[in-house]
């Protein structure tokens, strides 16, 4: 493995684990631009850690939560429509 | 209605939400992912009330961001987890600003306990979760500790080094080793996802 590939692997790991600094992120971005094949490595790391995060015992949610979510979405939908209506009704 | 929608491909459900379906598509999406997201939020926040509150925010945000979901950039689970984790980290940071930083209170016992048997649980444990848990038990305690602090507590490698009293280089090596191990588990993960 070349030194550059090793560096890219470390940066991809830090990125996926959420531990990368801003400098690390910029460096990784530059490496990805230079070699797009590295994207698969980043995606593999991201999928792995997402799987870890999804592996906890699932918890029963409150039956009211979905209702609250729908209510909020309906309000936001109404808000968007109201803004669109107001915009179209401008003289 | 929900059962019918559950059999759909997850990306198809997200596409339906992107088209504005806040009925059956949202029901199916919630049925499929809410209990998983709540478990992650509980893990990160440690408070049921706060986790339920953030769960609501997460699903509203996922619904709003559905048009931006790109299957080429990752699977639906990864997308859902990313959004949930970001909202949980926001809540952790807000709490830190309000009550001071509790990150230094980390102890080994906090690290990625994925075993079952918690009293406040539970939807039935699926083969998917069992397979994942078995796979992740293969990580060493040291690898789990650094991943716990980075991914679930939002710490940078420098903060982890301070918290654990380790050189930054050691922290980076452990993160890399942990991520490499997890990458080798991907075939197991993919098999579990298909089960």
């Amino acid at each position: 493995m070349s030194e550059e590939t090793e560096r890219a692997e470390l940066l991809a790991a830090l990125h996926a684990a959420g531990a990368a600094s801003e400098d690390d992120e910029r460096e990784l971005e530059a490496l990805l631009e230079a070699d797009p094949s590295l994207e698969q490595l980043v995606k593999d790391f991201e999928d792995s850690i997402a799987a870890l995060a999804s592996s906890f015992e699932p918890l029963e949610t409150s039956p009211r939560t979905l209702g609250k979510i729908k209510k909020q979405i309906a309000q936001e939908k109404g808000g968007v429509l109201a803004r669109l209506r107001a915009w179209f009704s401008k003289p | 209605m929900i059962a019918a929608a559950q059999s759909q491909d997850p990306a198809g459900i997200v596409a339906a939400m992107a088209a504005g379906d806040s009925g059956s598509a949202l029901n199916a999406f919630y049925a499929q992912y809410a209990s998983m997201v709540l478990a992650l939020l509980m893990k990160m926040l440690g408070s049921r009330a706060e986790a339920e509150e953030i769960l609501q925010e997460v699903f509203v945000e996922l619904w709003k961001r559905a048009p931006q979901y790109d299957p080429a950039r990752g699977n639906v689970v990864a997308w859902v987890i990313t959004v949930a984790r970001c909202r949980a980290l926001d809540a952790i940071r807000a709490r830190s600003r309000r009550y001071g930083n509790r990150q230094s209170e980390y102890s080994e016992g906090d690290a990625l306990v994925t075993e079952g048997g918690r009293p406040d649980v539970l939807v039935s444990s699926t083969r998917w979760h069992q397979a994942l848990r078995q796979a992740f038990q293969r990580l060493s305690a040291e690898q789990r500790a650094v991943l716990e602090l980075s991914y679930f507590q939002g710490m940078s490698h420098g903060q982890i080094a301070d918290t654990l009293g380790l050189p930054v280089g050691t922290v980076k090596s452990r993160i890399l080793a942990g991520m490499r191990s997890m990458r080798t588990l991907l075939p197991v993960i993919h098999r579990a996802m298909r089960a």
Side-chain angles (χ1 to χ4, degrees):
Chain A
M1 191 184 281
S2 75
E3 207 171 286
E4 198 169 77
T5 311
E6 267 183 49
R7 179 73 185 155
E9 192 189 15
L10 172 64
L11 292 170
L14 294 176
H15 161 82
S21 65
E22 285 180 18
D23 286 347
D24 294 333
E25 292 288 357
R26 273 193 292 272
E27 192 183 341
L28 177 62
E29 215 168 288
L31 288 171
L32 286 171
E33 270 177 31
D35 181 2
S37 71
L38 292 170
E39 275 173 23
Q40 187 58 49
L41 176 69
V42 175
K43 192 172 171 294
D44 281 357
F45 281 157
E46 287 176 341
D47 283 354
S48 307
I49 199 126
L52 171 64
S54 69
S55 70
F56 302 111
E57 291 281 5
L59 294 174
E60 196 88 59
T61 61
S62 159
R64 284 179 306 188
T65 307
L66 180 58
K68 287 181 188 170
I69 291 166
K70 289 194 167 197
K71 195 173 168 189
Q72 200 176 331
I73 288 173
Q75 282 169 351
E76 301 217 1
K77 270 182 168 176
V80 170
L81 288 175
R83 281 199 296 277
L84 281 173
R85 273 197 294 273
W87 190 80
F88 280 117
S89 64
K90 275 181 188 171
Chain B
M1 185 79 123
I2 292 178
Q6 263 183 316
S7 64
Q8 288 175 20
D9 148 54
I13 296 174
V14 176
M17 293 199 307
D21 183 348
S22 56
S24 60
L26 181 61
N27 288 344
F29 188 71
Y30 186 82
Q32 203 155 332
Y33 299 110
S35 54
M36 173 193 84
V37 171
L38 184 60
L40 172 65
L41 296 174
M42 269 294 288
K43 161 72 189 159
M44 294 179 72
L45 300 168
S47 148
R48 178 77 192 215
E50 198 176 7
E52 290 271 4
E53 195 185 314
I54 305 295
L55 178 72
Q56 192 179 324
E57 286 178 22
V58 167
F59 274 82
V60 171
E61 185 173 343
L62 287 166
W63 190 85
K64 285 198 280 191
R65 288 170 62 167
Q68 292 147 32
Y69 170 69
D70 177 4
R73 297 193 61 189
N75 61 43
V76 174
V77 171
W79 177 61
V80 169
I81 290 291
T82 300
V83 171
R85 174 181 174 264
C86 285
R87 291 292 72 77
L89 289 179
D90 287 345
I92 289 170
R93 287 176 190 131
R95 193 198 287 162
S96 286
R97 283 194 295 274
R98 241 177 290 137
Y99 304 112
N101 195 342
R102 71 176 188 92
Q103 291 176 335
S104 58
E105 294 169 11
Y106 176 81
S107 72
E108 279 288 314
D110 293 338
L112 293 177
V113 179
T114 56
E115 293 85 1
R118 296 208 321 239
D120 57 342
V121 193
L122 154 88
V123 178
S124 65
S125 186
T126 60
R127 284 168 61 195
W128 147 262
H129 289 100
Q130 287 163 8
L132 284 176
R133 277 196 297 278
Q134 282 169 6
F136 291 124
Q137 294 311 315
R138 295 187 214 163
L139 294 178
S140 73
E142 290 171 341
Q143 290 166 357
R144 282 188 229 159
V146 290
L147 290 173
E148 157 73 31
L149 292 174
S150 62
Y151 195 77
F152 296 104
Q153 297 296 321
M155 288 191 194
S156 67
H157 43 65
Q159 290 171 314
I160 298 169
D162 287 344
T163 302
L164 298 179
L166 293 169
V168 171
T170 304
V171 171
K172 287 182 180 178
S173 305
R174 287 184 185 178
I175 289 174
L176 177 58
M179 295 303 297
R180 273 180 179 157
S181 296
M182 288 207 292
R183 192 180 181 214
T184 64
L185 301 176
L186 268 179
V188 180
I189 292 166
H190 289 147
R191 272 201 301 279
M193 285 175 90
R194 283 194 296 270

